[in-house]
Amino acid sequence: MNIKQDNIQTDKARLGAIGENNVVSILMQKGWDAFNANCTIKNYKSVDIVCLNSDMSENNDCPWKPKLALVQVKTCRQTAIPIGFSTRHCLDKEYLNRMVKGPYVFVLVNEESKEYDFRYFILSRLQFIELAYSAHHYYINGYKREKELKLDAPACLHVRWLEGKSDEATSKHIAFNNPLKGLSSENNWENIWKE
């Protein structure tokens, strides 16, 4: 790895850590206990933050046990945010159901000024699975293409979809009907506690 690549990786890791720590701070400000799972294991698989809500119980059989959320955080500068799965994985709903452990928080970073500016989009576990699955079926089957796509490429979600927007049909693709149905996930922190 050359120095330039090393700097890009370091910058990306730093940006990810900033996003995760901001999310921990917001969760704690909301009165929920949260800690970064990556503090003990570097890049813990499928979980970045463990969050507890003492005002809710995990289930009726254990009313003393607080509600637990295993949160995945994805931080990015672009409006197409990589989600940690390949396109192939997103086309397999059973695979997503097995692998997605909890809600997702997408952190969009704007660095136009010298200060960081953040936007947060929160999807429940089921919202994430449905959006990733629907969006990638649309991406594969809804476009008129001359070249075949690589299914092992990283999958992304567009910020406009996280905002609840759908895509109108054009001469290049069919319409995409967003499963969020016009409901923006921006700053919808209660999605942390939804299945």
Side-chain angles (χ1 to χ4, degrees), residues 4 21 61 75 83 96-97 114 119 135 152 163 172 186 193:
K4 187 173 182 179
N21 284 305
D61 295 334
T75 305
I83 61 175
L96 291 174
N97 272 305
K114 291 186 181 190
R119 292 176 69 193
D152 292 323
E163 293 172 328
K172 295 181 181 181
E186 189 165 10
W193 305 112

Side-chain angles (χ1 to χ4, degrees), residues 162-178:
L162 298 172
E163 293 172 328
K165 297 174 183 171
S166 294
D167 291 355
E168 299 292 327
T170 70
S171 61
K172 295 181 181 181
H173 61 78
I174 64 171
F176 171 61
N177 295 312
N178 191 331

Side-chain angles (χ1 to χ4, degrees), residues 69-172:
L70 302 175
V71 182
Q72 180 72 12
V73 178
K74 295 295 180 188
T75 305
C76 194
R77 292 180 178 99
Q78 306 95 262
T79 57
I81 303 175
I83 61 175
F85 291 100
S86 70
T87 299
R88 183 182 315 281
H89 291 144
C90 289
L91 298 173
D92 184 347
K93 203 172 207 178
E94 287 181 27
Y95 179 84
L96 291 174
N97 272 305
R98 280 193 318 275
M99 299 307 292
V100 176
K101 308 298 183 208
Y104 269 62
V105 177
F106 295 96
V107 182
L108 180 63
V109 182
N110 180 358
E111 299 173 302
E112 287 184 14
S113 67
K114 291 186 181 190
E115 298 291 323
Y116 285 100
D117 182 35
F118 300 97
R119 292 176 69 193
Y120 303 92
F121 299 89
I122 304 90
L123 295 178
S124 71
R125 178 181 176 277
L126 291 179
Q127 285 174 327
F128 171 79
I129 291 169
E130 190 59 39
L131 182 58
Y133 178 77
S134 299
H136 288 86
H137 269 277
Y138 159 70
Y139 181 65
I140 295 298
N141 302 314
Y143 276 78
K144 297 174 186 168
R145 300 184 194 281
E146 294 179 15
K147 294 171 80 175
E148 192 172 323
L149 292 172
K150 294 181 181 179
L151 296 181
D152 292 323
C156 296
L157 291 177
H158 291 280
V159 169
R160 68 180 179 274
W161 297 337
L162 298 172
E163 293 172 328
K165 297 174 183 171
S166 294
D167 291 355
E168 299 292 327
T170 70
S171 61
K172 295 181 181 181

Side-chain angles (χ1 to χ4, degrees), residues 40-59:
T40 55
I41 297 174
K42 188 177 180 180
N43 207 9
Y44 196 89
K45 187 172 178 71
S46 303
V47 177
D48 291 316
I49 297 169
V50 177
C51 187
L52 300 166
N53 185 342
S54 298
D55 294 333
M56 300 172 76
S57 62
E58 190 63 35
N59 59 50

